[in-house]
Amino acid sequence: MRYKALIIDDEPYAREELRFQLEKTGLFDITAEAGNAVEGVRLVNSHRPDIIFLDINMPVINGFDMLSMIEKSIMPYVVFVTAYDQYALKAFEEKALDYLLKPVEQDRLEKTLEKIIRSLEKGEIPSYERKDLTRIPCSLINTIKLVDLTEIEYIYSDMTGVHAVTAGKEYLTDLTLKLIECRTELFRCHRQYLVNLAKIDRIVLNGNFSADAYTASGRVVPVSRRYLKLLKDALGL
């Protein structure tokens, strides 16, 4: 049996070398590679791999922070890849499946793969300790913008993706609405909307038991009947 794997590392040579070593085993289909965490999250969401080989020391968003951006229901097994021994120790503290030190030695890789295969064959569900998000990674042209949650008024999803809205701008993120709801304090007020309670200026009730929440900058966020009472309770109304 072959397993789907992703390699996520900002160093092209490291990705190439690891791909070569993994392909020699005949155990994995390397379905894609990524050079940063945001692209990595996008690939995990679309490819649903069995395992990811994840570099820790990546720019902007490191490997540990990336784990907080993957939904629990699709979390693959994780093998951290690092050139730093201190990170290897932290990988165990984060309950990683295993780790590899760069440059990856064949004997060490084979031991790691044996452990992986045993876990996959048993059907064990990977689980990792993850911290809550304080910033939302958003994609701009050739740029990853980290938007602080305190600046976000609301987040919504539509056919074009998931959008984080501040007082002055709107950004597109690869994180799902479900994950953001689970990993932040943003409040679900509608099937397609999460709102920052601290940014609500007033709530206007509608005749059909729904409402509109107005933010401090004057933007309007719909509140469905299903969530209106919960929102009132959360605001102490």
Side-chain angles (χ1 to χ4, degrees), residues 25-76:
T25 69
L27 296 172
F28 299 97
D29 290 319
I30 312 300
T31 57
E33 299 178 8
N36 60 69
V38 171
E39 184 182 358
V41 170
R42 185 183 303 129
L43 291 177
V44 170
N45 289 340
S46 60
H47 288 264
R48 306 293 176 95
D50 299 300
I51 180 170
I52 57 176
F53 293 87
L54 178 60
D55 186 22
I56 295 176
N57 192 31
M58 294 186 292
V60 185
I61 301 171
N62 66 36
F64 294 119
D65 290 335
M66 178 183 156
L67 287 190
S68 298
M69 301 174 185
I70 301 174
E71 286 191 31
K72 183 178 181 180
S73 62
I74 62 171
M75 178 66 72

Side-chain angles (χ1 to χ4, degrees), residues 201-221:
D201 179 69
R202 65 188 187 278
I203 296 175
V204 177
L205 302 177
N206 299 324
N208 59 354
F209 301 102
S210 65
D212 291 316
Y214 285 76
T215 68
S217 68
R219 295 178 183 268
V220 182
V221 182

Side-chain angles (χ1 to χ4, degrees), residues 117-130:
I117 297 304
R118 285 198 302 269
S119 298
L120 289 171
E121 288 179 344
K122 291 178 182 177
E124 296 177 355
I125 299 174
S127 177
Y128 306 103
E129 303 240 352
R130 298 177 295 161

Side-chain angles (χ1 to χ4, degrees), residues 1 3-5 7 18-30 51-53 77-79 81 97-100 104-121:
M1 183 174 181
Y3 300 95
K4 292 194 299 182
I7 299 174
L18 184 55
R19 171 187 278 271
F20 175 74
Q21 291 177 289
L22 291 172
E23 287 179 341
K24 282 199 305 183
T25 69
L27 296 172
F28 299 97
D29 290 319
I30 312 300
I51 180 170
I52 57 176
F53 293 87
Y77 283 103
V78 177
V79 173
V81 184
L97 177 64
D98 213 326
Y99 72 93
L100 297 169
V104 177
E105 297 179 356
Q106 192 66 33
D107 289 345
R108 173 62 176 159
L109 175 62
E110 290 175 1
K111 290 180 181 178
T112 297
L113 295 182
E114 288 176 6
K115 184 176 180 181
I116 293 167
I117 297 304
R118 285 198 302 269
S119 298
L120 289 171
E121 288 179 344

Side-chain angles (χ1 to χ4, degrees), residues 38 60-61 69 135-138 144-148 151:
V38 171
V60 185
I61 301 171
M69 301 174 185
R135 297 185 292 177
I136 302 297
C138 300
I144 299 171
K145 170 69 174 176
L146 295 174
V147 184
D148 198 296
E151 297 179 11

